[in-house]
Amino acid sequence: MFRTALRNVLAHKGRLLMTMLAVMLGTAFVAGTLVFTDTMGQALRTQNSKSYADIAVTVSDSEAVGRGYDHGGRAAAGPTLTEDTRRKLVALPGAADVRGVVSGFAGIADHKGALIGNGFSTTGTNYVPGADGTDPRYPMVAGRGPKDAGEIALDTRTAEKGGFKVGDTVRVAVNGPVMQLKLTGTLHTNDPRVTAGGSLAAFDTATAQQLYLSPGRFAELDVRAEPGTDDTALLAAVRQALPQGDNLEAKTGRELADEQDRMIAQGTRILSTFLMGFAAIALFVGVFIIANTFSMLVAQRTRELALLRAVGATRRQITRSVKVEAALVGLTASVAGLLAGIGIALGLKALLNGPMDANLPDGPLVIAPTTVLAAIAVGVLVTLVAAWLPARRASRIAPVAAMSSSEQPATQKSLRLRNTVGLLFSLAGAAALAAGASGKEVKLVGLGAGALLIGVFVLTPLLSRPLIALFAPLLRAVYGTPGKLARENAVRNPRRTAATASALTIGVTLITSLTVVGASVNKAVDDSTSSDLKADYTVAMQNFSDLSPEVAAQIAKAPGVSAMSTERSVPVTIDRGQGRGAGDGENEFLTAVDAATIDQLATVRIREGSADALEQGKLLVSAGRSEQARYQVGDVLAVTYPDGSKGSLTVGGVLEANTALAPVLAPEAVVGPHAQPGSGLEKVLVKGTNGATEQLKQALRDATGGNPLIAVKGEKDIKAESRQAVTDILNMMYGLLGMSVVIAVLGVVNTMAMSVFERRREIGMLRAIGLDRLGIRRMVRLESLLIALFGGLIGVGLGILVAWAGVRTLADDLKGITTVVPPLQIVCFLLAAAVIGLLAALWPAHRAAKLDILDAIRSE
């Protein structure tokens, strides 16, 4: 039977080609994902080990690190790392040197004033020269490091992007006015924030301390050990020498490297899991194609299999023969998929380092044994699972009864059982989908969507006749006999049509649901921005760090400003005793705003209480926060402010949902003086005398000193930014789902090609009675078109239904969100399905039209 299976594979290799391609593409996705993530993870770990190679012990100040990145410049609550601390550590036995580190954000403007790099990775640090005048962390490529407040060094990629050369003047900003600094040198860095698209600005130590912390203060001290010194012993000595405080933490360089390695491993696992999800979709689509192909092969070999039964082959041997055939196909395709996956990993790395400029670290290609085994095992297993049902059907072919028929029709009992199972799955899925939508349970919606998809797939043969019949009048009217024949061929074998269409349905369902959810989110954001925000412009840092308090005073002086309000987050501790809520020590964030102008800058809708609460020195709480924390109008809250002082605040009103306002609003005049010294602003809302004009926007930019890190956004900018974020996510999802669509196309090609081979005699008879080659081609193309449209229609319907449930789960996060079905895009998806059907039929239609009439009639 093994020889029989091998002979069948070799005899039908042309008919199995598309199946092999489907398995190969799915396996390539799996292998490519594993090879790429393993390669990237290994390169990052190697780079990480180099970063800590010369560090024996690191001491970090958690308060300083946090403030270094929001430029607070605030007083420290605990002990700090100073120059005196550094000298104490240098004097320890075994310590060769101690490097003080300061870091934060620093925006570099190009010659047009635009920010270089993304706002989240615009890194600033101090350049710490050793005895030879260089900093080993940052090898100089050209020039030298900065020595005073008027100088700066940049990483080579940032300098190249900005077109800067040593000696040029560079515009640099933190969270205040732009500084004009001289570029003294360019340097190399492996900092992942920079290699991921950010920038690095290196200042002298005194300047960095002034910008990010306070004079003489460090965020981190890195201790380099003398040769032969035990890092653990040095760590113990460092801990003894440090002032006592919860904010100071000492670890060995090896511990830090291990922590970073764990973070890298976690990140690569997340990426791998995400990509594997789409690989699973591609393989799931491939299951339909494999099952369909083997079902057709079994049907075409009915007489051959019956003859084997007649000469003594058992049912188990027949089943085993088909499974061995499937295993051979899966193994061959998996090996090819593994090789293709390695190519995909190389191509993806080249793409990220090339056009996408991700600058991933260099490293050898990692092809782990587990990757090889996983890729081959997945391909073979998927093929065997898909071929299981066709193998069982093959074993049931009767030795005598099957000799007179080329294909056994499905029994009414099997169809009734299939329809019953499909109906039960569909009802259960629809019920779970509805329950998840009403209860806003994402997991329940996911389970319901999965069950509904399975149910509809099982019911697809039942649905094929009525849905395809909708096109019958049009086909007869426009295409005549070829149209009528195409319709009859499409519904002749409902199971085959269903399996072919279902592969396409999966991709269309997912793409449609993503598109509808994206359109719904965009509409909700647009509506809420228009209705909730009255301000013409918002001024905030692009990296969501704090604005310098001086920015508000500069904006107030800008020409054309009629009203403005700052927003400052003030963390407090609330003591409500044994009353409602969480009890003693409940943390809350108050957002301080200008009580006199906030109603001119945002829509303040009061559900309960007084509209003048803020001007009366009271709090306004959103309805959602009120329900969550059980705040009620009139509640008096005992608060402890960041500066340690105590006071009481009264809840004066409950707000309707508003995306432009924070959950808890407080008057700036009341809580602002108690904010932590030097705390910055979250943003500034601005209203113009003449509305949103380019003149006002430019005036605000000028008022902030042209700081490239500070963004001035109007209503259109906010909407465009939101739409762009959704579009980027959708485009990425479309690209990842593209593999499943390609596999679905191969399935249509395979089904049509095998169907043509199966119907050779029928096609020969049609040619003999007068149907010309054009008619034959048209018949095959229209049949493929009908199958593709059938799959597309079901996919669009399921996608809209799943999207509706998904949108309902977002109601608490996005005010007023409703399901928006973009008609143009939906029509485009159906047209794309039609085009797929027509293109997939080109080769089968050409083969059908080229058949010799006499040879076709004589064929068995």
Side-chain angles (χ1 to χ4, degrees):
M1 296 307 292
F2 178 80
R3 289 197 299 271
T4 301
L6 182 60
R7 179 183 60 79
N8 286 330
V9 171
L10 296 175
H12 302 116
K13 53 182 178 293
R15 276 177 270 174
L16 288 169
L17 177 61
M18 295 301 173
T19 301
M20 290 182 177
L21 283 175
V23 178
M24 186 198 76
L25 290 175
T27 307
F29 207 146
V30 172
T33 296
L34 293 174
V35 172
F36 174 71
T37 52
D38 286 348
T39 299
M40 185 174 68
Q42 181 62 45
L44 290 173
R45 285 191 294 272
T46 301
Q47 176 180 284
N48 178 55
S49 64
K50 292 178 181 178
S51 299
Y52 292 97
D54 67 334
I55 299 177
V57 177
T58 290
V59 183
S60 60
D61 180 349
S62 59
E63 290 184 358
V65 170
R67 288 167 190 162
Y69 281 93
D70 65 13
H71 316 301
R74 311 167 197 169
T80 61
L81 299 177
T82 63
E83 182 61 27
D84 288 340
T85 312
R86 194 189 73 81
R87 292 195 189 99
K88 289 181 182 178
L89 299 187
V90 170
L92 292 175
D97 187 27
V98 179
R99 179 171 57 229
V101 178
V102 185
S103 57
F105 287 111
I108 311 299
D110 61 18
H111 292 296
K112 295 181 180 179
L115 179 68
I116 298 176
N118 57 67
F120 301 100
S121 302
T122 50
T123 308
T125 190
N126 60 321
Y127 187 83
V128 187
D132 60 353
T134 64
D135 188 334
R137 297 176 301 166
Y138 307 118
M140 297 303 300
V141 176
R144 59 170 176 82
K147 294 181 178 179
D148 56 47
E151 298 180 342
I152 192 175
L154 298 177
D155 68 281
T156 53
R157 295 176 73 242
T158 300
E160 183 179 348
K161 289 179 181 178
F164 298 122
K165 297 179 180 179
V166 175
D168 288 350
T169 299
V170 180
R171 299 176 72 245
V172 187
V174 179
N175 65 341
V178 173
M179 300 174 286
Q180 306 276 349
L181 304 179
K182 180 181 178 181
L183 181 64
T184 61
T186 58
L187 49 83
H188 175 73
T189 178
N190 289 323
D191 190 323
R193 292 169 298 181
V194 180
T195 57
S199 61
L200 177 66
F203 306 94
D204 69 286
T205 297
T207 301
Q209 290 173 330
Q210 184 68 39
L211 288 173
Y212 300 125
L213 294 170
S214 56
R217 187 179 176 191
F218 298 104
E220 183 179 298
L221 293 177
D222 294 335
V223 183
R224 187 167 57 84
E226 292 179 349
T229 301
D230 180 66
D231 290 354
T232 305
L234 183 58
L235 174 64
V238 167
R239 285 174 173 168
Q240 288 292 326
L242 289 175
Q244 297 301 309
D246 294 338
N247 60 306
L248 300 184
E249 184 179 21
K251 293 182 179 181
T252 65
R254 184 65 266 163
E255 288 176 329
L256 289 174
D258 290 343
E259 286 180 5
Q260 291 294 320
D261 283 349
R262 286 192 291 271
M263 292 176 63
I264 291 169
Q266 182 181 8
T268 53
R269 277 198 303 270
I270 292 173
L271 176 61
S272 179
T273 302
F274 176 74
L275 293 176
M276 280 297 182
F278 290 92
I281 293 171
L283 288 168
F284 185 56
V285 172
V287 166
F288 288 91
I289 297 170
I290 299 164
N292 207 20
T293 301
F294 277 94
S295 293
M296 296 178 74
L297 284 174
V298 167
Q300 291 172 10
R301 288 157 42 198
T302 298
R303 293 187 178 183
E304 175 190 331
L305 295 172
L307 182 59
L308 288 173
R309 289 294 312 280
V311 297
T314 64
R315 286 188 172 184
R316 179 174 295 181
Q317 286 178 314
I318 295 294
T319 303
R320 190 179 301 159
S321 172
V322 177
K323 287 182 178 178
V324 169
E325 187 176 342
L328 291 172
V329 170
L331 181 61
T332 303
S334 298
V335 172
L338 175 62
L339 297 176
I342 295 171
I344 288 174
L346 289 170
L348 186 57
K349 186 177 180 181
L351 175 66
L352 291 174
N353 280 336
M356 299 185 69
D357 198 26
N359 198 31
L360 295 176
D362 292 329
L365 196 67
V366 179
I367 306 173
T370 53
T371 298
V372 177
L373 293 175
I376 294 177
V378 165
V380 173
L381 183 62
V382 166
T383 310
L384 286 173
V385 168
W388 176 77
L389 192 57
R392 281 178 56 84
R393 288 177 184 163
S395 69
R396 293 175 182 172
I397 295 175
V400 176
M403 297 293 286
S404 59
S405 175
S406 61
E407 184 172 355
Q408 298 183 101
T411 64
Q412 289 299 316
K413 180 180 178 181
S414 68
L415 290 176
R416 281 197 301 270
L417 178 62
R418 176 174 182 145
N419 293 338
T420 301
V421 172
L423 184 61
L424 290 175
F425 265 98
S426 298
L427 291 175
L433 208 62
S438 60
K440 300 178 178 61
E441 293 288 339
V442 177
K443 291 183 179 178
L444 192 56
V445 167
L447 289 173
L452 182 60
L453 281 172
I454 293 172
V456 171
F457 290 158
V458 176
L459 286 173
T460 304
L462 181 66
L463 299 173
S464 62
R465 288 184 180 275
L467 287 179
I468 291 178
L470 294 175
F471 299 97
L474 179 63
L475 292 175
R476 282 197 300 267
V478 177
Y479 298 104
T481 300
K484 181 180 179 181
L485 291 171
R487 184 260 176 191
E488 292 177 353
N489 288 335
V491 299
R492 175 187 299 181
N493 191 327
R495 282 183 170 175
R496 182 184 304 168
T497 298
T500 307
S502 294
L504 187 59
T505 296
I506 297 171
V508 176
T509 298
L510 294 173
I511 289 173
T512 300
S513 60
L514 287 172
T515 302
V516 172
V517 170
S520 302
V521 169
N522 281 334
K523 180 67 163 51
V525 172
D526 286 353
D527 290 346
S528 61
T529 302
S530 299
S531 62
D532 294 346
L533 186 66
K534 290 183 179 178
D536 294 316
Y537 292 102
T538 63
V539 182
M541 297 288 288
Q542 292 195 50
N543 51 27
F544 298 110
S545 60
D546 287 350
L547 280 166
S548 171
E550 290 78 16
V551 170
Q554 296 166 348
I555 290 175
K557 298 176 184 177
V561 175
S562 62
M564 61 166 283
S565 172
T566 61
E567 287 191 10
R568 182 206 307 262
S569 182
V570 181
V572 299
T573 302
I574 296 176
D575 180 4
R576 293 196 283 182
Q578 301 303 315
R580 299 178 304 273
D584 296 343
E586 181 181 351
N587 296 321
E588 185 64 88
F589 283 91
L590 309 180
T591 299
V593 297
D594 189 329
T597 60
I598 190 62
D599 60 338
Q600 301 177 49
L601 300 162
T603 303
V604 181
R605 291 182 290 266
I606 301 296
R607 173 182 291 188
E608 189 181 345
S610 171
D612 299 324
L614 288 175
E615 294 189 67
Q616 296 168 5
K618 299 179 181 179
L619 302 178
L620 284 178
V621 183
S622 70
R625 185 59 184 150
S626 173
E627 181 180 347
Q628 182 184 25
R630 287 180 280 179
Y631 292 135
Q632 293 183 5
V633 174
D635 282 354
V636 178
L637 310 178
V639 300
T640 302
Y641 292 107
D643 62 358
S645 62
K646 297 181 181 295
S648 62
L649 292 170
T650 303
V651 177
V654 177
L655 292 168
E656 295 284 357
N658 188 308
T659 57
L661 296 175
V664 183
L665 300 180
E668 168 68 27
V670 175
V671 303
H674 301 292
Q676 199 164 15
S679 63
L681 309 173
E682 287 188 3
K683 60 183 170 182
V684 180
L685 303 178
V686 180
K687 186 80 172 175
T689 305
N690 299 317
T693 63
E694 283 299 320
Q695 291 80 4
L696 176 60
K697 191 173 186 178
Q698 186 59 48
L700 295 176
R701 286 175 178 155
D702 294 340
T704 57
N707 188 328
L709 274 174
I710 297 178
V712 179
K713 299 176 184 177
E715 181 180 320
K716 292 181 179 179
D717 300 318
I718 295 172
K719 291 180 178 179
E721 190 175 74
S722 171
R723 286 183 173 275
Q724 186 59 51
V726 172
T727 299
D728 290 343
I729 293 173
L730 289 179
N731 287 340
M732 180 181 66
M733 295 293 187
Y734 292 158
L736 292 171
L737 287 171
M739 185 72 76
S740 63
V741 175
V742 171
I743 294 175
V745 173
L746 293 177
V748 178
V749 175
N750 204 24
T751 299
M752 297 309 302
M754 295 184 73
S755 179
V756 167
F757 181 86
E758 188 179 80
R759 303 200 306 257
R760 291 181 68 197
R761 177 178 290 182
E762 175 187 320
I763 293 171
M765 293 298 294
L766 289 173
R767 288 292 315 280
I769 62 175
L771 190 63
D772 59 10
R773 288 183 175 179
L774 178 60
I776 295 294
R777 280 196 294 266
R778 185 170 291 167
M779 177 188 71
V780 175
R781 290 171 185 167
L782 290 175
E783 180 183 350
S784 178
L785 173 65
L786 285 174
I787 293 174
L789 281 176
F790 172 54
L793 282 171
I794 294 179
V796 164
L798 285 174
I800 292 173
L801 183 59
V802 171
W804 166 80
V807 167
R808 290 291 300 272
T809 65
L810 299 174
D812 290 340
D813 300 315
L814 285 172
K815 187 191 74 171
I817 188 170
T818 57
T819 305
V820 177
V821 181
L824 181 60
Q825 287 170 284
I826 297 301
V827 170
C828 287
F829 294 155
L830 291 175
L831 289 176
V835 172
I836 286 172
L838 291 174
L839 292 177
L842 289 178
W843 178 56
H846 177 75
R847 284 190 60 191
K850 289 293 185 181
L851 287 177
D852 182 88
I853 297 176
L854 295 179
D855 287 343
I857 293 175
R858 285 200 309 269
S859 65
E860 292 291 333

